[in-house]
Amino acid sequence: MDTFGVKLPQGVDGAFNAMLGAPRQGEADYLLRATRQMMKNTARVQQNVKKYKSGAAYPDDRFAAQLQDAARLIAAGVGQRIIYVSLGGFDTHAGQRAEQDELLGRLAGGLAAFYADIQKQGLADQVVVMGFSEFGRRVAENASAGTDHGKGSVMFALGNGVKGGVHGSSPDLEDLSEGDIKYRQDFRGVYAEGLHKWLGLDARAVLGGDFTGPGWVA
């Protein structure tokens, strides 16, 4: 049985259809209507996703696969506004150089393929990538040829809607705070600018305050 385009397990379809056809009130009625709408939406997403044809050759790794899934959903036009993907492994306390070179290569390869794909889909003017790290690194190398957790970090943005270049001044590596760089941009300002200028949302309501961005949105 294929209900609203969603395949049901053998023997379940009769009972499910009977449930859908039974009268409901109150919370049960709400749940029934929500279930029907969910199944219709799922079927629509499945149908739209089938139309996607990749416009780029993606690297063979998990991060690139996440990005291709994101491109597939965007091209399907199912209405999502934010998609989150991640690349782990940057907790480089030992042997940092070789590990980080490999990780940055994966990051660059995946993003290059994603951007080429979005351009091929004709959607480059509608998509912006924002990148951030969940923690920074200290300035000094530790005894294991790595670096430990630190306060300062970097963020980046990619897309036709981004004002290119480096925003903000470089940190002073000789003027540190307990071994950490002194940050000069509150990360919430970067988000505030994206929320307000790109997504058209009330950044103050989302972030709980007013934060000035570096001027990255074109």
Side-chain angles (χ1 to χ4, degrees):
M1 178 67 180
D2 188 352
T3 304
F4 298 125
V6 179
K7 295 290 184 182
L8 296 176
Q10 187 72 23
V12 175
D13 54 305
F16 187 83
N17 285 331
M19 180 190 77
L20 290 179
R24 294 286 187 274
Q25 294 181 342
E27 292 182 0
D29 177 64
Y30 171 79
L31 179 60
L32 179 60
R33 287 186 286 108
T35 301
R36 282 175 168 160
Q37 188 61 50
M38 178 192 69
M39 296 182 72
K40 288 179 180 179
N41 291 344
T42 300
R44 180 167 59 88
V45 169
Q46 290 174 336
Q47 190 62 36
N48 288 342
V49 165
K50 287 178 183 177
K51 300 175 183 177
Y52 166 78
K53 292 183 180 179
S54 178
Y58 283 82
D60 185 18
D61 61 62
R62 184 172 177 273
F63 176 64
Q66 292 180 67
L67 287 170
Q68 186 168 23
D69 285 341
R72 184 180 289 110
L73 285 172
I74 294 168
V78 294
Q80 74 295 316
R81 302 197 70 190
I82 298 175
I83 299 174
Y84 176 84
V85 301
S86 64
L87 172 60
F90 284 94
D91 201 2
T92 50
H93 291 280
Q96 176 172 289
R97 180 57 189 271
E99 231 181 309
Q100 194 168 59
D101 284 354
E102 193 273 332
L103 286 165
L104 292 176
R106 256 195 280 168
L107 177 69
L111 289 174
F114 174 79
Y115 188 61
D117 195 359
I118 290 300
Q119 284 184 306
K120 189 72 173 180
Q121 308 294 337
L123 298 169
D125 289 338
Q126 302 175 44
V127 179
V128 161
V129 176
M130 289 183 64
F132 68 93
S133 173
E134 63 179 305
F135 49 77
R137 311 304 298 182
R138 294 179 70 83
V139 174
E141 182 179 303
N142 61 26
S144 302
T147 55
D148 298 322
H149 289 230
K151 298 176 183 176
S153 189
V154 295
M155 301 177 73
F156 70 86
L158 168 70
N160 290 2
V162 175
K163 190 182 297 181
V166 177
H167 299 276
S169 55
S170 298
D172 186 342
L173 298 183
E174 294 183 353
D175 180 21
L176 304 178
S177 172
E178 299 179 343
D180 288 310
I181 61 172
K182 296 177 180 179
Y183 75 87
R184 300 180 180 181
Q185 170 66 58
D186 189 317
F187 74 93
R188 289 170 293 186
V190 181
Y191 289 134
E193 193 173 339
L195 288 166
H196 173 61
K197 293 185 178 180
W198 184 255
L199 294 176
L201 301 176
D202 183 350
R204 193 178 196 284
V206 175
L207 298 173
D210 295 313
F211 302 95
T212 302
W216 66 269
V217 178

